[in-house]
Amino acid sequence: MGKRLTDQQRAFYKRNGYLIGLPPVFDSEQVKQLNNGLNELLKLLRPGEDAKEIREWHETSRFLYDICTNETILDYVEDILGPDFYLWGSNFFIKPPHSTSTVGWHQDTYYWPLEPKISATVWLAFEDVNEENAAMKVIPGSHVAGLIRHSRSSDTDSVLTLECERGQFREDSAVSLNLRAGQISIHDDKIVHGSPANRSSRRRAGL
């Protein structure tokens, strides 16, 4: 048994490359505080900038630092990676209502300058997220294949420059990582994942 994950949950993560269904890290009142804090951060952006510019602000924002060093979150990560790990990056992924932007199928490890390639991403929902407002989707088990080919695609609305080449995984096996506000998902850096456009009237915000 880990600090917070059961042996079954850790085995599921190892086999599938992701984990959802965990108890909320933040309750409803704390979620309100999270969104109030996010609104204050958004006010700091310069004209023409958007939420994607809020990268590594945990290094100067006590608000974000406290989220990133939340004891519950760190315990989950330790159960997956072991006790010797560090936080190297943070950023927001926000899709406003009726946004046409997508995130094409990709592997984080293809973009990240890390060796060895052993890392995990925690995705914290600032509001409810599901298929309606463009929840992230993953291809279960795709992380075990290692790094797969990526290439540029001009026929896409993806915010990424490189996407996984088709035919290397089954898109029809995708699982939507639906979360309630205050919940987290965790995924392996090599799992194939992405998200569609947000056609709904609800924002989708995750840290």
Side-chain angles (χ1 to χ4, degrees), residues 96-157:
H98 311 295
S99 168
T100 60
S101 294
T102 66
V103 179
W105 294 115
H106 69 285
Q107 294 171 298
D108 291 337
T109 190
Y110 197 89
Y111 285 87
W112 291 349
L114 301 177
E115 290 292 343
K117 299 185 183 302
I118 305 171
S119 61
T121 294
V122 175
W123 204 100
L124 169 63
F126 273 52
E127 52 220 346
D128 294 350
V129 57
N130 52 33
E131 293 97 331
E132 180 187 5
N133 64 336
M136 183 172 69
K137 296 183 177 182
V138 299
I139 307 296
S142 56
H143 63 302
V144 300
L147 196 63
I148 65 177
R149 292 189 303 276
H150 288 57
S151 61
R152 295 184 183 277
S153 175
S154 57
D155 184 26
T156 179
D157 290 316

XYZ file of all heavy atoms in Angstrom, residues 96-157:
490
model
N -11.935 28.522 -23.358
C -13.158 29.312 -23.132
C -14.360 28.645 -23.803
O -14.201 27.762 -24.653
C -12.832 30.655 -23.794
C -11.354 30.673 -23.973
C -10.946 29.254 -24.153
N -15.563 29.067 -23.451
C -16.746 28.551 -24.135
C -16.659 28.789 -25.645
O -16.148 29.812 -26.096
C -17.892 29.357 -23.521
C -17.374 29.782 -22.181
C -15.907 30.017 -22.384
N -17.128 27.815 -26.408
C -17.202 27.912 -27.866
C -15.821 28.099 -28.505
O -15.700 28.684 -29.590
C -18.140 29.041 -28.286
C -19.470 29.007 -27.593
N -20.382 27.980 -27.769
C -20.040 29.855 -26.693
C -21.443 28.204 -27.019
N -21.268 29.328 -26.351
N -14.792 27.587 -27.839
C -13.439 27.659 -28.389
C -13.248 26.579 -29.450
O -13.653 25.428 -29.275
C -12.415 27.466 -27.270
O -11.125 27.265 -27.803
N -12.608 26.941 -30.553
C -12.334 25.971 -31.618
C -10.973 25.299 -31.452
O -10.655 24.375 -32.198
C -12.378 26.660 -32.991
O -11.395 27.700 -33.040
C -13.761 27.254 -33.257
N -10.193 25.763 -30.487
C -8.851 25.203 -30.289
C -8.928 23.758 -29.807
O -9.758 23.411 -28.970
C -8.072 26.033 -29.277
O -7.816 27.331 -29.770
N -8.050 22.944 -30.344
C -7.928 21.560 -29.900
C -6.501 21.325 -29.421
O -5.613 22.165 -29.622
C -8.231 20.581 -31.057
O -7.209 20.707 -32.066
C -9.599 20.872 -31.682
N -6.299 20.182 -28.789
C -4.949 19.711 -28.479
C -4.819 18.356 -29.165
O -5.484 17.399 -28.782
C -4.710 19.590 -26.959
C -3.306 19.067 -26.702
C -4.898 20.934 -26.278
N -4.012 18.306 -30.210
C -3.882 17.080 -30.985
C -3.270 15.944 -30.178
O -2.631 16.166 -29.144
N -3.464 14.715 -30.671
C -2.877 13.552 -30.004
C -1.357 13.719 -29.927
O -0.693 13.973 -30.934
C -3.205 12.276 -30.765
C -4.646 11.902 -30.798
C -5.459 11.845 -31.899
C -5.458 11.495 -29.683
N -6.738 11.445 -31.543
C -6.758 11.221 -30.187
C -5.227 11.345 -28.320
C -7.811 10.801 -29.374
C -6.276 10.935 -27.506
C -7.539 10.672 -28.024
N -0.825 13.567 -28.730
C 0.617 13.749 -28.536
C 1.064 13.022 -27.275
O 0.258 12.555 -26.481
C 0.963 15.240 -28.416
C 0.446 15.862 -27.146
N -0.891 16.164 -26.953
C 1.079 16.226 -25.991
C -1.054 16.695 -25.747
N 0.127 16.733 -25.151
N 2.367 12.965 -27.098
C 2.982 12.473 -25.857
C 3.778 13.619 -25.246
O 4.562 14.280 -25.934
C 3.910 11.298 -26.148
C 3.233 10.044 -26.660
C 4.248 9.032 -27.132
O 5.013 9.285 -28.062
N 4.268 7.863 -26.490
N 3.588 13.851 -23.972
C 4.320 14.930 -23.306
C 5.824 14.749 -23.434
O 6.566 15.719 -23.611
C 3.944 14.988 -21.821
C 2.523 15.463 -21.598
O 1.970 16.144 -22.480
O 1.959 15.140 -20.527
N 6.267 13.521 -23.319
C 7.706 13.261 -23.305
C 8.375 13.675 -24.606
O 9.577 13.924 -24.634
C 7.971 11.764 -23.012
O 9.355 11.561 -22.770
C 7.545 10.895 -24.182
N 7.596 13.766 -25.698
C 8.168 14.197 -26.977
C 8.600 15.661 -26.910
O 9.527 16.079 -27.594
C 7.139 14.001 -28.098
C 7.746 14.016 -29.486
C 8.206 12.852 -30.082
C 7.860 15.204 -30.202
C 8.765 12.859 -31.340
C 8.417 15.229 -31.469
C 8.864 14.058 -32.029
O 9.423 14.066 -33.279
N 7.925 16.432 -26.073
C 8.195 17.869 -25.957
C 9.147 18.209 -24.811
O 9.790 19.258 -24.827
C 6.881 18.628 -25.724
C 6.023 18.774 -26.944
C 5.113 17.790 -27.311
C 6.102 19.913 -27.746
C 4.304 17.931 -28.427
C 5.303 20.072 -28.866
C 4.406 19.072 -29.206
O 3.622 19.218 -30.316
N 9.202 17.353 -23.806
C 9.873 17.735 -22.568
C 11.349 17.349 -22.566
O 11.703 16.210 -22.900
C 9.166 17.091 -21.376
C 7.817 17.666 -21.131
C 7.280 18.788 -21.689
C 6.817 17.148 -20.251
N 6.015 19.006 -21.211
C 5.701 18.020 -20.325
C 6.762 16.037 -19.413
C 4.559 17.805 -19.589
C 5.611 15.833 -18.677
C 4.525 16.704 -18.761
N 12.226 18.263 -22.121
C 13.676 18.020 -22.122
C 14.132 17.276 -20.868
O 14.949 17.777 -20.093
C 14.251 19.439 -22.169
C 13.262 20.240 -21.369
C 11.899 19.640 -21.684
N 13.588 16.082 -20.665
C 13.879 15.355 -19.432
C 14.582 14.031 -19.726
O 14.206 13.308 -20.645
C 12.583 15.065 -18.661
C 11.748 16.264 -18.235
C 10.476 15.782 -17.543
C 12.536 17.172 -17.308
N 15.589 13.716 -18.959
C 16.233 12.403 -18.987
C 16.541 12.006 -17.559
O 17.119 12.793 -16.821
C 17.532 12.437 -19.802
C 17.340 12.613 -21.298
C 16.684 11.411 -21.954
O 16.678 10.328 -21.325
O 16.172 11.555 -23.085
N 16.194 10.798 -17.114
C 15.427 9.813 -17.881
C 13.971 10.261 -18.027
O 13.502 11.124 -17.290
C 15.529 8.555 -17.022
C 15.684 9.065 -15.631
C 16.518 10.314 -15.752
N 13.281 9.673 -18.991
C 11.905 10.060 -19.283
C 10.953 9.321 -18.336
O 10.282 8.376 -18.714
C 11.583 9.791 -20.744
C 12.468 10.591 -21.705
C 12.056 10.395 -23.133
C 12.975 11.141 -24.087
N 13.047 12.590 -23.827
N 10.936 9.783 -17.098
C 10.068 9.201 -16.075
C 9.404 10.352 -15.335
O 10.013 10.979 -14.468
C 10.860 8.323 -15.089
C 11.644 7.233 -15.826
C 9.924 7.685 -14.063
C 12.605 6.469 -14.927
N 8.182 10.656 -15.697
C 7.503 11.757 -15.021
C 5.995 11.542 -15.077
O 5.502 10.688 -15.813
C 7.871 13.106 -15.655
O 7.484 13.146 -17.008
N 5.300 12.315 -14.290
C 3.848 12.218 -14.227
C 3.259 13.622 -14.208
O 3.835 14.536 -13.617
C 3.404 11.459 -12.978
N 2.121 13.789 -14.860
C 1.420 15.066 -14.876
C 0.175 14.986 -14.005
O -0.616 14.054 -14.140
C 0.993 15.440 -16.305
O 2.160 15.673 -17.098
C 0.126 16.701 -16.306
N 0.031 15.951 -13.122
C -1.186 16.100 -12.324
C -2.029 17.194 -12.980
O -1.532 18.290 -13.246
C -0.850 16.499 -10.878
C -2.131 16.779 -10.091
C -0.027 15.412 -10.200
N -3.300 16.886 -13.260
C -4.220 17.839 -13.906
C -5.317 18.152 -12.896
O -6.133 17.303 -12.572
C -4.821 17.197 -15.157
C -5.314 18.113 -16.232
C -4.674 18.444 -17.375
C -6.596 18.781 -16.297
N -5.461 19.286 -18.144
C -6.642 19.504 -17.514
C -7.697 18.836 -15.437
C -7.737 20.270 -17.892
C -8.794 19.614 -15.810
C -8.809 20.317 -17.022
N -5.321 19.382 -12.381
C -6.282 19.804 -11.363
C -7.418 20.575 -12.018
O -7.189 21.600 -12.670
C -5.594 20.673 -10.314
C -6.504 21.411 -9.325
C -7.307 20.433 -8.471
C -5.678 22.349 -8.437
N -8.647 20.103 -11.832
C -9.817 20.749 -12.419
C -10.269 21.917 -11.558
O -10.571 21.746 -10.377
C -10.948 19.740 -12.573
N -10.346 23.116 -12.135
C -10.855 24.291 -11.447
C -12.377 24.385 -11.562
O -13.001 25.174 -10.874
C -10.204 25.552 -12.003
C -8.898 25.890 -11.337
C -7.882 24.953 -11.220
C -8.693 27.154 -10.806
C -6.677 25.274 -10.615
C -7.489 27.477 -10.184
C -6.478 26.531 -10.081
N -12.931 23.583 -12.466
C -14.388 23.484 -12.622
C -14.697 22.117 -13.206
O -13.785 21.405 -13.646
C -14.914 24.597 -13.534
C -14.188 24.693 -14.866
C -13.957 26.136 -15.267
O -14.568 27.029 -14.682
O -13.134 26.368 -16.179
N -15.944 21.723 -13.169
C -16.310 20.404 -13.696
C -15.892 20.297 -15.159
O -16.066 21.236 -15.945
C -17.825 20.187 -13.603
C -18.331 20.124 -12.161
O -17.488 20.069 -11.247
O -19.557 20.128 -11.968
N -15.361 19.136 -15.528
C -14.941 18.911 -16.903
C -15.402 17.532 -17.344
O -15.272 16.545 -16.610
C -13.409 19.077 -17.053
C -12.651 18.152 -16.127
C -12.976 18.826 -18.493
N -16.002 17.478 -18.532
C -16.473 16.216 -19.101
C -16.442 16.337 -20.627
O -15.871 17.280 -21.171
C -17.871 15.871 -18.585
C -18.862 17.005 -18.751
O -18.784 17.778 -19.715
N -19.797 17.140 -17.814
N -17.074 15.382 -21.300
C -17.044 15.402 -22.767
C -17.673 16.677 -23.336
O -17.264 17.160 -24.390
C -17.773 14.179 -23.331
C -17.086 12.857 -23.054
C -17.664 12.163 -21.834
O -18.153 12.883 -20.924
O -17.632 10.923 -21.787
N -18.651 17.231 -22.630
C -19.354 18.412 -23.137
C -18.420 19.601 -23.299
O -18.488 20.332 -24.293
C -20.511 18.778 -22.203
C -21.301 20.001 -22.653
C -22.321 20.451 -21.633
O -22.358 19.883 -20.522
O -23.084 21.379 -21.938
N -17.549 19.839 -22.319
C -16.661 20.999 -22.398
C -15.195 20.598 -22.584
O -14.283 21.203 -22.039
C -16.826 21.921 -21.182
C -16.425 21.270 -19.874
O -16.434 20.046 -19.740
N -16.069 22.082 -18.882
N -15.012 19.551 -23.390
C -13.683 19.210 -23.931
C -12.711 18.646 -22.910
O -11.557 19.073 -22.808
C -13.065 20.420 -24.626
N -13.162 17.655 -22.155
C -12.253 16.966 -21.238
C -11.105 16.333 -22.014
O -11.252 15.954 -23.179
C -13.007 15.882 -20.476
N -9.962 16.233 -21.355
C -8.827 15.555 -21.956
C -9.154 14.076 -22.167
O -9.846 13.460 -21.345
C -7.599 15.686 -21.055
C -6.332 15.081 -21.633
S -4.870 15.471 -20.642
C -5.205 14.520 -19.148
N -8.642 13.512 -23.260
C -8.822 12.096 -23.543
C -7.462 11.416 -23.628
O -6.481 12.029 -24.066
C -9.593 11.894 -24.853
C -11.014 12.428 -24.810
C -11.753 12.125 -26.101
C -13.196 12.608 -26.024
N -13.957 12.268 -27.256
N -7.402 10.163 -23.193
C -6.160 9.398 -23.241
C -6.408 8.080 -23.957
O -7.539 7.590 -24.023
C -5.604 9.125 -21.823
C -5.286 10.428 -21.096
C -6.579 8.286 -21.003
N -5.338 7.508 -24.488
C -5.375 6.183 -25.092
C -4.772 5.217 -24.081
O -3.550 5.182 -23.904
C -4.592 6.131 -26.414
C -5.059 7.232 -27.374
C -4.723 4.753 -27.052
C -6.498 7.105 -27.826
N -5.605 4.452 -23.357
C -5.079 3.584 -22.284
C -4.015 2.619 -22.801
O -4.160 2.027 -23.876
C -6.327 2.821 -21.820
C -7.472 3.706 -22.190
C -7.065 4.357 -23.477
N -2.944 2.508 -22.044
C -1.879 1.567 -22.361
C -0.905 2.035 -23.416
O 0.094 1.349 -23.674
N -1.149 3.201 -24.026
C -0.264 3.654 -25.107
C 1.121 4.043 -24.606
O 2.064 4.148 -25.399
C -0.904 4.828 -25.853
O -1.224 5.888 -24.972
N 1.254 4.246 -23.302
C 2.551 4.646 -22.756
C 3.589 3.528 -22.811
O 4.791 3.795 -22.790
C 2.388 5.102 -21.308
C 1.911 4.029 -20.378
N 0.723 3.357 -20.576
C 2.462 3.479 -19.253
C 0.557 2.462 -19.611
N 1.599 2.527 -18.800
N 3.136 2.293 -22.893
C 4.087 1.174 -22.846
C 4.863 1.023 -24.147
O 5.894 0.340 -24.187
C 3.368 -0.152 -22.508
C 2.680 -0.060 -21.161
C 2.355 -0.517 -23.589
N 4.388 1.644 -25.225
C 5.069 1.540 -26.520
C 6.289 2.451 -26.612
O 7.034 2.384 -27.585
C 4.089 1.866 -27.651
N 6.492 3.306 -25.609
C 7.596 4.255 -25.665
C 7.270 5.415 -26.586
O 6.108 5.673 -26.912
N 8.298 6.118 -27.033
C 8.109 7.291 -27.876
C 7.683 6.864 -29.277
O 8.313 6.000 -29.891
C 9.410 8.090 -27.945
C 9.321 9.525 -28.460
C 8.459 10.364 -27.539
C 10.718 10.128 -28.557
N 6.602 7.456 -29.790
C 6.134 7.141 -31.136
C 6.307 8.352 -32.042
O 6.557 9.463 -31.574
C 4.673 6.659 -31.141
C 3.718 7.764 -30.680
C 4.513 5.444 -30.242
C 2.260 7.358 -30.746
N 6.186 8.136 -33.334
C 6.478 9.192 -34.310
C 5.482 10.351 -34.208
O 4.285 10.141 -34.124
C 6.461 8.626 -35.728
C 7.595 7.660 -36.031
C 7.630 7.316 -37.515
N 6.354 6.759 -37.959
C 6.003 5.488 -37.836
N 6.836 4.628 -37.261
N 4.828 5.055 -38.273
N 6.022 11.564 -34.262
C 5.224 12.786 -34.331
C 5.608 13.528 -35.610
O 6.740 13.428 -36.087
C 5.502 13.711 -33.138
C 4.944 13.241 -31.838
N 5.237 12.009 -31.282
C 4.107 13.850 -30.946
C 4.612 11.885 -30.124
N 3.923 12.990 -29.892
N 4.668 14.279 -36.140
C 4.960 15.087 -37.320
C 4.087 16.334 -37.313
O 3.104 16.425 -36.568
C 4.728 14.284 -38.602
O 3.365 13.880 -38.695
N 4.439 17.302 -38.153
C 3.660 18.529 -38.260
C 2.391 18.264 -39.052
O 2.387 17.498 -40.002
C 4.475 19.628 -38.931
C 5.679 20.063 -38.120
C 6.401 21.230 -38.778
N 7.588 21.588 -38.027
C 7.614 22.372 -36.955
N 6.473 22.890 -36.519
N 8.730 22.632 -36.323
N 1.317 18.926 -38.637
C 0.059 18.793 -39.351
C -0.520 20.185 -39.584
O -0.694 20.956 -38.642
C -0.942 17.940 -38.551
O -2.195 17.904 -39.189
N -0.786 20.511 -40.842
C -1.361 21.813 -41.164
C -2.883 21.771 -41.145
O -3.546 22.807 -41.060
C -0.880 22.272 -42.546
O -1.220 21.314 -43.537
N -3.448 20.581 -41.214
C -4.905 20.428 -41.248
C -5.432 20.177 -39.838
O -5.957 19.113 -39.523
C -5.281 19.266 -42.176
C -6.788 19.120 -42.326
O -7.491 20.136 -42.155
O -7.251 17.988 -42.594
N -5.292 21.165 -38.971
C -5.665 20.997 -37.576
C -5.846 22.349 -36.914
O -5.267 23.345 -37.344
C -4.586 20.180 -36.829
O -4.961 20.043 -35.457
C -3.232 20.880 -36.876
N -6.645 22.374 -35.850
C -6.780 23.553 -35.009
C -6.012 23.381 -33.702
O -6.233 24.100 -32.731
C -8.262 23.807 -34.686
C -9.052 24.279 -35.897
O -8.540 25.149 -36.626
O -10.171 23.776 -36.111
